[in-house]
Amino acid sequence: MEQLFPILGQWAWFVVAGVFLLLELFLPGVFFIWLAIAAAITGLADWLFALPWQAEFLVFAFTAAIAVYGGKRLYRSPAMEPRDN
């Protein structure tokens, strides 16, 4: 099977998740945490199913979109919502 990162093997997505977590610590905002969660889920899926690299990217894109959307809904401020007058 082809690996995207042959040196790291199946740990690559967990390393990417760690990098996103470090970015979350050092950069302001609440965005990289959701990408870290998506990378960790992708790493778990790759570990369980030994996915090819193309499927890994599709899983990451799908879980990142869901995680960012969920994070946006979680952190939506009630003060920002439009009022009906």
Side-chain angles (χ1 to χ4, degrees):
M1 167 180 2
E2 293 180 29
Q3 288 279 328
L4 181 62
F5 303 105
I7 294 172
L8 295 175
Q10 293 184 344
W11 290 98
W13 284 105
F14 297 113
V15 171
V16 171
V19 169
F20 280 135
L21 288 174
L22 287 174
L23 285 172
E24 182 69 35
L25 285 174
F26 292 117
L27 297 174
V30 183
F31 183 72
F32 289 111
I33 188 75
W34 309 114
L35 296 178
I37 291 170
I41 291 171
T42 304
L44 184 64
D46 186 34
W47 180 66
L48 289 174
F49 303 114
L51 302 171
W53 66 269
Q54 297 92 340
E56 291 176 21
F57 275 115
L58 287 175
V59 169
F60 178 72
F62 182 71
T63 56
I66 289 173
V68 169
Y69 178 74
K72 180 181 174 186
R73 290 194 44 96
L74 182 67
Y75 283 103
R76 181 181 296 165
S77 171
M80 300 291 279
E81 304 217 359
R83 293 188 217 171
D84 293 332
N85 287 335

